[in-house]
Amino acid sequence: EATRSRAEAQVMKQVCDLMASVQSQIIMRSVWPLLEKCNTICQPILGRPLTYKDGEIGFDLDDQFITTRSMSGTELALTYCAVAIAMAVVSPIKLLILDEVGRLDPQRKVELVRHLCLLVENEVLDQAILVDTNADAFSPATDSTLINFEICSL
C-alpha cells in the first residue's frame, strides 16, 4: 500500500510538472508577443517596457518588479491603453476604443492623442475612439499638426 501511494504521488508530481511546462509554453506564445507589441508600439506613452513575471504583467523599477496591483492609477491606465492598442493593431479591423480616458492627467491625454494620431497616420491603426467626460482636456491636442482628429461632445 505504501509503495502504491508513493507511486501515485510521483505520477501526480510528474503530471503537475508537465502541466506547468505546458502552461509556460502557452504563456510564451500568447502573452509575450502581446507585450512585445505593447513595448514596440507604445513605448512613447509607457516610458518603461512591460514584462511578465510570476503570472503578472508589470515593469521593472529600481530592482523591483511593479505589478498592476502596485501601479499608480496613471501607470495602470497607460498599461491598459498599451494592451488595448497592441490588441487592436493585430486585429483584422484595427479599431481602438478606449473608455475612461479621464483617468489620465491632461498632459498624458495629449501625449496619448498625439501618439494615436501617428499610429493612424502611419496606418498601424485604422481609427481610435477615446471616451472621456471632459472634452476640454483634449483641446491642447487639437493643433494643426494632427490629422484626422476631432472632438465630439455629446
Side-chain angles (χ1 to χ4, degrees):
E1 185 65 33
T3 303
R4 180 179 176 173
S5 293
R6 280 193 296 272
E8 287 176 354
Q10 186 178 19
V11 168
M12 184 59 83
K13 182 185 179 323
Q14 289 175 345
V15 168
C16 289
D17 290 346
L18 177 63
M19 293 305 295
S21 174
V22 169
Q23 180 183 22
S24 177
Q25 290 174 16
I26 291 170
I27 289 168
M28 292 300 285
R29 291 183 185 151
S30 59
V31 174
W32 277 110
L34 179 68
L35 291 180
E36 287 175 356
K37 187 70 71 178
C38 287
N39 292 331
T40 301
I41 295 173
C42 300
Q43 191 58 41
I45 61 170
L46 282 173
R48 298 179 188 89
L50 294 175
T51 189
Y52 184 83
K53 290 183 185 175
D54 300 324
E56 300 216 40
I57 293 175
F59 58 83
D60 292 309
L61 179 66
D62 299 330
D63 297 329
Q64 276 191 312
F65 183 63
I66 308 299
T67 68
T68 54
R69 290 180 287 135
S70 303
M71 291 178 185
S72 71
T74 298
E75 291 167 337
L76 186 59
L78 290 173
T79 297
Y80 289 155
C81 287
V83 170
I85 292 167
M87 289 172 35
V89 301
V90 298
S91 297
I93 299 173
K94 296 167 178 30
L95 172 64
L96 173 70
I97 301 174
L98 292 177
D99 193 6
E100 298 191 30
V101 181
R103 293 177 183 257
L104 299 175
D105 61 73
Q107 178 185 345
R108 295 288 179 127
K109 285 181 191 179
V110 171
E111 291 170 4
L112 176 63
V113 167
R114 291 180 186 280
H115 187 66
L116 292 175
C117 285
L118 286 173
L119 293 177
V120 171
E121 182 178 346
N122 293 324
E123 298 180 354
V124 176
L125 279 175
D126 294 331
Q127 185 175 12
I129 299 170
L130 308 180
V131 180
D132 192 354
T133 57
N134 182 7
D136 294 337
F138 293 100
S139 59
T142 58
D143 65 28
S144 61
T145 62
L146 299 180
I147 62 162
N148 298 326
F149 178 75
E150 182 178 340
I151 296 175
C152 301
S153 296
L154 302 177

